[in-house]
Amino acid sequence: MAAARLRVASDVGGTFTDSIAYDEASRRISVSKVPTTPGNRALGTVAGLKRAVAAQGLSGAEIAYVGHGMTTATNAVIQRKGGRTAFVTNRGFRDLLLIGRQDRPSLFDVDDVRPPPLVPQELCYTAAGRIDAAGREIEPLSLADLEAAAADMRARGVEAVAVTFLHSYANPAHERAAKALLERLLPGVPVCASTEIVAEFREFERASTAVLNAYLRPIMETYLGSLAGLLGDREDGLGLPETSPVMVIEASGGLMTLDSAREKPVHTVLSGPAGGVVGSAHVAGLAGIRDIVTMDIGGTSTDISLIREGKPILTRQARLETVPIRLPVIDINAIGAGGGSIAWIDDGGALRVGPMSAEAVPGPAAYGRGGTRPTVTDANLVLGRFGADTRLGGDLTLDLAAARAAVATIAAPLGLDVVAAAAGILRVAHATIVRGIRVVSVERGLDPRDFALVPFGGAGPMHGTPVARDLAIPRLLVPPTPGILCALGQLVSDLRHDLVETHVGAHADFAAGRAAGIVAALTARGDALLAADTVPPDRRTVSAFVDMRYVGQSYELPIALPARLDEVDWAGVPARFHDAHRARFGHADASAPVECVSFGVTAVGRIDTPVLPVLEEGGAAPPPEARTGSRPVYFEALSRTDIPGFHDAPVFARAALRAGNVVEGPAVIEEVSATTILYPGDRAVADASGSLIVEMPA
């Protein structure tokens, strides 16, 4: 058998499935982009991987590692296509999921209707028994109540169960007993205890996270089981060696094993976009840029995130379609504006773009698969951003006549010609994306001008300049293989485990020894998990933190702690909290008492990071073979002195560019996974790391 030398990864999006193969021996990268297969996404995943591997001239038997990111869990929640789930909690708290929190995203919208919980009321069950906040049992758990509930679940065809009891974070005994009994009474039905997912207080968020995990278990068991089978199939699948690990990227940007993903699929929510953020941080770091705004424009959405000092910003409070999630996730602002976003006219006669999407089937009208409604992709084709001979992903040809016909359906009602309507579609889409970037920057006290914009995804590099100019961001970094960056992120991510325990109390009441004991126990657990993942000791790191707040506040901030905590370290924590509070919220009160809420650790197992190819040195002028032609491209006015209209733009093949080559806008730079548009006045320099650094006029 050939020696394993390939590291491969795939990212399943709503429209396309992106794959990458990296040859550790030659450091060569090959990519593929195939349509997502909604009926069974595993089929598209394996097809894309086979194509990327074949481009290396190798076979699945030579694969040493597989990374995977997906939107399967996210789509299941959005479309409400998870398993039929039951919820078990304490007597008197049956409506916990329905009541939720008092917060309302649309406070003054009288027509706003909260979507129903993932579990209908008839599948919410209660059992007598109670643990108090100190972890003491004050009422025994009623096994009879659980047996009655299990009988009713069987009759109603329940496919998964979530168990959440009050104060189980302090003592999980009742949850463990309930899980054991329900698993025995409901064979084959997965049962999720909340403290196995998140062992923190705030019962609603803990319950919501556990319910979401249970809700996803059946669909993810089916999907990941099918994927595992196809990956190992030597006849119709990839022929992956049994010893090659398959890792799934988490929403936190870390990796988890395939078995862990089947057991705790809630961690895979938003996993695909997380790969792009990790990949962005990596390639930007190679170019010496550490503060960036990521802009991942795919077929159905744009995912935006911020990276400071080379590290993604994480949060432990997220929502997916109004469903709260209490887990570490990369702070990503997802908005409904992508290449497949549909343009439409609202009741007031205004042009709108998204959030509805043409998706993979039928796709934009330009795909020639039956789509008739105008999309951002159709507008780009009408305006010459794509050429008539452009092949998306290397295969998909575009139909200009169909794109023009689709855009014409909104041009006439607006009193515009087709070109003006197409330009209007892009302006509306750009305005939506700009608002999304302001949410993660300006609204959090950060100046976008201090960052570089990293546009990626299949459509990202087409829209980088107008978005950056609107925000006064001075430069772009277009990564290598931008349309496949989410998949690349899975090759540079590390194994990760996050452990958090609730310990509420005033800082002054916590002795340093007690805090150090909690941290030491969590650190040992984190290290043991990495050992179970077969991570060598010299590749393990465990970092600790404490969540703190002012007494009376509702939410807290994480403060980093040393792994070995002494009296001096512990005494200095309040001052560090005040500094963090001032940096985050603009104010602090050094005289106010502070309290601890939770202690946690992040255990990281470092993997072998691929060494990406370095561009061959070249002069300022691109080699003659890099220029492949020219075409008329429409550019809208980005300043008062700009004149909108078509410009004859030279077209360059990115694969032929060398380090130091300069391309002046207007120009088009094409590659298999994406197309970069340089506006008049833009100046792109090919960096040795493989990225394009684009400087824009002030």
Side-chain angles (χ1 to χ4, degrees), residues 472-492:
I473 294 175
R475 59 180 171 172
L476 307 175
L477 183 146
V478 183
T481 63
I484 314 292
L485 193 64
C486 289
L488 175 63
Q490 295 154 30
L491 296 185
V492 298

Side-chain angles (χ1 to χ4, degrees), residues 101 169 200-202 205 316-317 326 502-508 510 546-559 570 573-578 580-582 585 587-599:
R101 291 287 182 194
Y169 60 87
E200 299 181 55
F201 76 155
R202 296 195 177 102
E205 287 78 7
R316 296 216 309 278
Q317 301 171 97
R326 182 71 178 177
T502 292
H503 296 273
V504 180
H507 174 268
F510 268 87
V546 57
D547 287 327
M548 302 191 74
R549 64 186 181 187
Y550 289 115
V551 174
Q553 280 188 318
S554 298
Y555 294 97
E556 55 277 351
L557 290 174
I559 306 300
W570 186 241
V573 167
R576 295 172 60 195
F577 168 74
H578 297 313
H581 197 278
R582 184 178 295 105
F585 299 109
H587 65 92
D589 184 356
S591 64
V594 297
E595 65 180 357
C596 305
V597 174
S598 301
F599 288 81

Side-chain angles (χ1 to χ4, degrees), residues 17 76 131 150 158 168 182 189 213 244 375 389 446 521 549 559 571 620 626 632:
T17 294
I131 300 287
V158 163
S168 56
L182 291 172
V189 175
N213 192 74
S244 298
T375 67
D389 58 346
L446 300 171
R549 64 186 181 187
I559 306 300

Side-chain angles (χ1 to χ4, degrees), residues 10-226:
S10 64
D11 176 65
V12 184
T15 306
F16 285 103
T17 294
D18 305 327
S19 301
I20 187 170
Y22 171 77
D23 186 338
E24 294 178 315
S26 66
R27 290 167 56 179
R28 178 170 171 259
I29 288 176
S30 60
V31 302
S32 75
K33 203 173 189 74
V34 302
T36 293
T37 50
N40 182 354
R41 293 169 187 263
L43 296 174
T45 299
V46 173
L49 287 173
K50 289 174 72 173
R51 181 174 298 187
V53 169
Q56 294 276 6
L58 299 172
S59 69
E62 293 160 296
I63 293 176
Y65 169 91
V66 178
H68 187 53
M70 61 200 139
T71 57
T72 306
T74 303
N75 291 339
V77 178
I78 293 173
Q79 300 169 8
R80 291 297 197 266
K81 291 185 177 179
R84 185 167 172 78
T85 304
F87 174 60
V88 178
T89 189
N90 299 88
R91 179 176 294 172
F93 288 82
R94 183 186 182 194
D95 294 329
L96 175 62
L97 299 175
L98 186 63
I99 295 172
R101 291 287 182 194
Q102 200 172 15
D103 59 320
R104 288 185 288 167
S106 302
L107 186 61
F108 300 106
D109 185 354
V110 296
D111 296 320
D112 185 50
V113 178
R114 177 181 291 181
L118 297 178
V119 179
Q121 192 173 30
E122 66 269 17
L123 294 181
C124 293
Y125 302 88
T126 65
R130 184 68 68 88
I131 300 287
D132 70 9
R136 299 180 295 252
E137 182 182 78
I138 56 177
E139 181 183 5
L141 179 65
S142 172
L143 301 184
D145 287 348
L146 292 172
E147 290 169 352
D152 193 66
M153 291 178 201
R154 276 196 303 271
R156 294 179 182 272
V158 163
E159 299 173 295
V161 182
V163 180
T164 301
F165 290 141
L166 268 65
H167 305 305
S168 56
Y169 60 87
N171 180 355
H174 282 190
E175 281 195 359
R176 290 173 178 170
K179 177 180 178 177
L181 178 60
L182 291 172
E183 284 180 333
R184 180 169 60 81
L185 297 175
L186 300 168
V189 175
V191 180
C192 302
S194 73
T195 46
E196 294 177 346
I197 311 299
V198 51
E200 299 181 55
F201 76 155
R202 296 195 177 102
E203 66 275 2
F204 171 58
E205 287 78 7
R206 181 159 47 85
S208 177
T209 305
V211 164
L212 182 56
N213 192 74
Y215 183 77
L216 293 171
R217 279 285 296 270
I219 190 171
M220 292 296 284
E221 285 278 1
T222 300
Y223 169 68
L224 293 177
S226 173

Side-chain angles (χ1 to χ4, degrees), residues 149-470:
D152 193 66
M153 291 178 201
R154 276 196 303 271
R156 294 179 182 272
V158 163
E159 299 173 295
V161 182
V163 180
T164 301
F165 290 141
L166 268 65
H167 305 305
S168 56
Y169 60 87
N171 180 355
H174 282 190
E175 281 195 359
R176 290 173 178 170
K179 177 180 178 177
L181 178 60
L182 291 172
E183 284 180 333
R184 180 169 60 81
L185 297 175
L186 300 168
V189 175
V191 180
C192 302
S194 73
T195 46
E196 294 177 346
I197 311 299
V198 51
E200 299 181 55
F201 76 155
R202 296 195 177 102
E203 66 275 2
F204 171 58
E205 287 78 7
R206 181 159 47 85
S208 177
T209 305
V211 164
L212 182 56
N213 192 74
Y215 183 77
L216 293 171
R217 279 285 296 270
I219 190 171
M220 292 296 284
E221 285 278 1
T222 300
Y223 169 68
L224 293 177
S226 173
L227 178 63
L230 284 171
L231 288 175
D233 191 327
R234 296 187 178 182
E235 294 185 5
D236 301 320
L238 194 61
L240 182 72
E242 293 183 4
T243 55
S244 298
V246 180
M247 308 299 290
V248 176
I249 192 163
E250 300 184 42
S252 65
L255 295 172
M256 63 194 307
T257 64
L258 193 66
D259 288 341
S260 294
R262 295 169 77 164
E263 182 78 14
K264 299 179 179 179
V266 67
H267 286 275
T268 70
V269 171
L270 301 175
S271 75
V277 176
V278 173
S280 295
H282 183 74
V283 298
L286 295 177
I289 300 175
R290 294 175 60 78
D291 295 324
I292 62 175
V293 178
T294 69
M295 185 180 78
D296 178 5
I297 306 181
T300 57
S301 67
T302 295
D303 300 313
I304 300 162
S305 190
L306 216 66
I307 293 173
R308 301 186 71 184
E309 290 297 315
K311 295 181 179 180
I313 296 175
L314 269 67
T315 178
R316 296 216 309 278
Q317 301 171 97
R319 283 181 178 270
L320 177 60
E321 289 293 298
T322 74
V323 179
I325 306 170
R326 182 71 178 177
L327 289 172
V329 301
I330 291 178
D331 193 4
I332 296 173
N333 183 22
I335 58 177
S341 294
I342 294 171
W344 53 288
I345 300 173
D346 67 16
D347 293 340
L351 177 62
R352 306 281 295 277
V353 177
M356 304 86 68
S357 172
E359 299 184 327
V361 180
Y367 289 4
R369 295 174 175 168
T372 58
R373 302 185 68 183
T375 67
V376 172
T377 294
D378 297 312
N380 276 317
L381 181 56
V382 168
L383 298 178
R385 312 303 180 85
F386 291 120
D389 58 346
T390 297
R391 292 177 176 269
L392 294 187
D395 289 327
L396 182 62
T397 57
L398 299 177
D399 187 336
L400 177 58
R404 291 183 63 89
V407 174
T409 63
I410 64 166
L414 293 172
L416 302 172
D417 61 34
V418 171
V419 170
I425 290 172
L426 296 192
R427 280 197 297 272
V428 172
H430 294 157
T432 302
I433 295 169
V434 166
R435 286 195 298 273
I437 293 177
R438 289 184 183 277
V439 168
V440 302
S441 57
V442 176
E443 293 185 13
R444 298 179 186 176
L446 300 171
D447 191 339
R449 292 173 295 184
D450 296 333
F451 295 79
L453 181 66
V454 179
F456 63 98
M462 275 196 161
H463 304 277
T465 291
V467 171
R469 292 274 295 273
D470 201 338

